[in-house]
């Protein structure tokens, strides 16, 4: 009967079982430590021991997903993703669900919602709510400015690409691509600003400001608070940011 000399003559029912024992037993591995930490130089006898090291150590590790991350910011983004947050922020008009408040805001700004909202209408509504310009900048606009639109034609072709007629001079392979660029907020003024003390970050669209607040880099509002207020309603979320809560 097959047996292992190094394990006190342990017997096995077949040679295949003996080979399985030799392949998998910690006692027969060089040094007995085959499970190396992917971050530091530590090694462990079992996978479970290494996992416990990840949990107890200083590594950026998600125990629920058994995933390591290169830095704490990546781990934070993962913890705020669909995998852990779910899609529990619902558009009050079309009932589409989103993971974050910024996701809902991007949806409303896109103009694809049944509410009929787009970023221009949202900007006007926020400016009306923010009478003291806490999160918006005082803007000087001309009558009809918001309804104006720059449309590129075939005359934008410069011999090698379609060139933006505005200040950026970016080039596009197709006229459609150029017109999508002109419809974007790329050339618009920065309307929004972070209300955090000493921050001063500015954004062209509300979703940019919401993403910034969600990052908690300025301490204006906790990520969880942004999501909670968004579930109550977009106006409530904006109102909280204006109040600096």
């Amino acid at each position: 009967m097959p047996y292992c000399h190094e394990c006190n003559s342990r017997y096995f029912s077949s040679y295949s079982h003996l080979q399985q024992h030799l392949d998998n037993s910690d006692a027969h591995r060089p040094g007995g430590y085959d499970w190396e930490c992917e971050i530091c130089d530590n090694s462990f006898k079992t996978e479970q021991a290494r996992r416990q090291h990840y949990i107890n150590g200083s590594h950026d590790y998600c125990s629920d997903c058994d995933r390591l991350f290169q830095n704490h910011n990546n781990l934070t983004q993962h913890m705020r993703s669909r995998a852990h947050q779910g899609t529990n922020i619902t558009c009050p008009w079309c009932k589409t669900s989103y993971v974050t408040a910024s996701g809902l805001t991007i949806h409303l700004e896109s103009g694809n919602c049944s509410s009929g909202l787009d970023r221009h209408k949202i900007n006007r509504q926020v400016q009306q709510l923010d009478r003291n310009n806490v999160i918006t900048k005082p803007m000087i606009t001309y009558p009809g400015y918001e309804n104006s639109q720059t449309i590129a034609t075939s005359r934008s072709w410069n011999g090698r690409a379609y060139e933006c007629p505005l200040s950026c001079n970016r080039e596009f392979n197709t006229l459609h691509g150029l017109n999508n660029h002109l419809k974007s907020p790329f050339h618009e003024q920065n309307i929004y600003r972070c209300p955090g003390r000493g921050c001063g970050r500015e954004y062209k669209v509300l979703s940019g400001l919401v993403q910034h607040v969600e990052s908690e880099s300025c301490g204006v509002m906790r990520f969880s608070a942004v999501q909670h207020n968004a579930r109550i309603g977009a106006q409530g979320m904006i109102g909280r940011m204006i109040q600096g809560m």
Side-chain angles (χ1 to χ4, degrees), residues 149-158 161-172 174-184 186-187:
Q149 183 178 351
T150 302
I151 300 176
T153 66
S154 58
R155 298 181 64 181
S156 299
W157 181 259
N158 63 11
Y162 291 96
E163 184 177 344
C164 178
L166 302 180
S167 58
C168 73
N169 297 321
R170 289 183 61 184
E171 296 182 343
F172 298 84
T174 65
L175 185 60
H176 178 71
L178 172 55
N179 276 313
N180 281 339
H181 166 70
L182 293 173
K183 291 177 184 177
S184 76
F186 186 86
H187 289 287

Side-chain angles (χ1 to χ4, degrees), residues 11 43 45 83 106 108-109 111 117 146 167-168 223 232:
Y11 288 89
S43 298
K45 284 189 174 183
I106 291 171
L108 296 175
E109 288 175 337
L117 290 171
E146 292 181 347
S167 58
C168 73
F223 174 85
I232 297 174

Side-chain angles (χ1 to χ4, degrees), residues 24-85:
N24 297 328
S25 173
D26 293 332
H28 296 284
R29 293 174 183 164
Y33 294 88
D34 269 5
W35 297 95
E36 297 181 357
C37 175
E38 298 177 25
I39 304 296
C40 63
D41 295 329
N42 289 320
S43 298
F44 304 89
K45 284 189 174 183
T46 65
E47 183 179 14
Q48 181 59 34
R50 182 180 66 174
R51 189 170 188 270
Q52 196 62 44
H53 163 72
Y54 289 154
I55 294 173
N56 297 336
S58 58
H59 301 321
D60 297 304
Y61 175 71
C62 174
S63 58
D64 292 336
C65 301
D66 192 23
R67 286 184 60 187
L68 271 175
F69 295 86
Q70 292 182 343
N71 53 58
H72 186 68
N73 182 63
N74 288 352
L75 172 61
T76 300
Q77 294 302 316
H78 167 71
M79 297 304 295
R80 294 173 179 175
S81 70
R82 183 187 300 265
H84 292 278
Q85 296 294 326

